[in-house]
Amino acid sequence: MTEFNPWRLWKRFLALPNDSRAKTLGVALFVALVCATAVSITAVTLEPLQEANLQRERERRMAEMISALPGMADILRETEVDTLDTVIVNLGTGDVTDAFAPAQFDYAAAQTDPELTTMIPEDADVAGIGRRPIFAPAYLLRDEDRLVLVVIPTYGTGYQSTIRAYVAIKGDLNTIAAVSIYEQGETPGIGTRITDPSWQDRWQGKQIADETGAVRLSVVQGGADGPFEVDAISGATRSSMGVSNLVRFWLGAHGYGPFLERLKARGE
């Protein structure tokens, strides 16, 4: 029985004519095997580096998205944070869902899609929007492992238009850090005063709910008194109340209330 000799077979293979079909196929197979091995080794070796690069890219894009939100630049300048995250919330349950990728979630479309919205009970629709999205984004800003800020997008009916605003809540989940109105069509020179920084600053430090969990934050006429009240704008009461109503709705049980309660329960 002839002893198997790989080296002899290899020499015989190399001795084949270059136009030999067997040699052509053999060389192609050998090159493919070497390349596949090299790619596999490279992929395994570089996987940690690739994952780190992808994570940095995700954080960069998320940071750009947050900073690009109307009114967010001032909030970010005033808040020291080093990690931020975007989540999509099921408003009915308060749970974070992975059914949508945050970067691809179209919140504007979700507000008008019948399949992605639900009716609001008439007695609970203080924002006057009729239907609300089932899913909505929330922006969580952290300093290391500590939750510093929760930013939620809100909207509701004003005196002459739909008012849209971002509400930033401090890490205790019961104190307003900022209210930033970024879209409205109220009466020029009167209702548009809700965008004045001096009025929006009145919301800072106000408390959302009392010890029972009931949302008490509201705009009042005739002088605010206490941690739950914000002065209305003289001459623009209806627009001021529109902001009050949208804030109360989105912080309540039919808005982000269940989500905020889940964050509290987790001790964030």
Side-chain angles (χ1 to χ4, degrees), residues 20-136:
S20 167
R21 179 175 298 179
K23 189 172 185 179
T24 301
L25 291 175
V27 170
L29 180 62
F30 176 75
V31 172
L33 181 61
V34 171
C35 290
T37 302
V39 169
S40 297
I41 293 174
T42 302
V44 172
T45 303
L46 296 180
E47 184 176 4
L49 182 60
Q50 292 173 331
E51 195 56 42
N53 287 337
L54 287 173
Q55 179 63 26
R56 283 194 292 270
E57 179 65 11
R58 285 193 289 266
E59 291 180 355
R60 184 187 68 80
R61 292 196 176 194
M62 196 175 297
E64 289 179 352
M65 180 182 65
I66 291 290
S67 62
L69 293 174
M72 281 302 302
D74 292 338
I75 294 175
L76 292 174
R77 276 196 297 269
E78 295 171 3
T79 309
E80 295 182 0
V81 295
D82 62 9
T83 304
L84 52 86
D85 192 16
T86 304
V87 296
I88 305 302
V89 179
N90 183 323
L91 296 178
T93 65
D95 294 318
V96 172
T97 179
D98 58 1
F100 304 93
Q104 278 75 50
F105 183 67
D106 189 342
Y107 187 44
Q111 295 170 27
T112 58
D113 188 336
E115 295 185 0
L116 293 177
T117 57
T118 184
M119 287 292 297
I120 304 170
E122 187 175 350
D123 60 345
D125 188 19
V126 294
I129 58 178
R131 300 177 68 89
R132 67 142 174 86
I134 298 172
F135 303 99

Side-chain angles (χ1 to χ4, degrees), residues 118-132 155-157 215 241-242 244-258:
T118 184
M119 287 292 297
I120 304 170
E122 187 175 350
D123 60 345
D125 188 19
V126 294
I129 58 178
R131 300 177 68 89
R132 67 142 174 86
Y155 63 96
T157 301
V215 176
M241 290 302 176
S244 176
N245 290 337
L246 70 86
V247 169
R248 287 176 59 84
F249 173 80
W250 288 103
L251 293 176
H254 292 274
Y256 286 88

Side-chain angles (χ1 to χ4, degrees), residues 151-170:
V151 182
I152 59 174
T154 67
Y155 63 96
T157 301
Y159 177 47
Q160 290 188 325
S161 68
T162 296
I163 300 172
R164 298 182 183 275
Y166 288 102
V167 177
I169 306 161
K170 291 185 177 181

Side-chain angles (χ1 to χ4, degrees), residues 224-239:
D225 182 22
F228 302 106
E229 297 180 350
V230 178
D231 275 326
I233 299 173
S234 177
T237 302
R238 292 190 183 183
S239 296

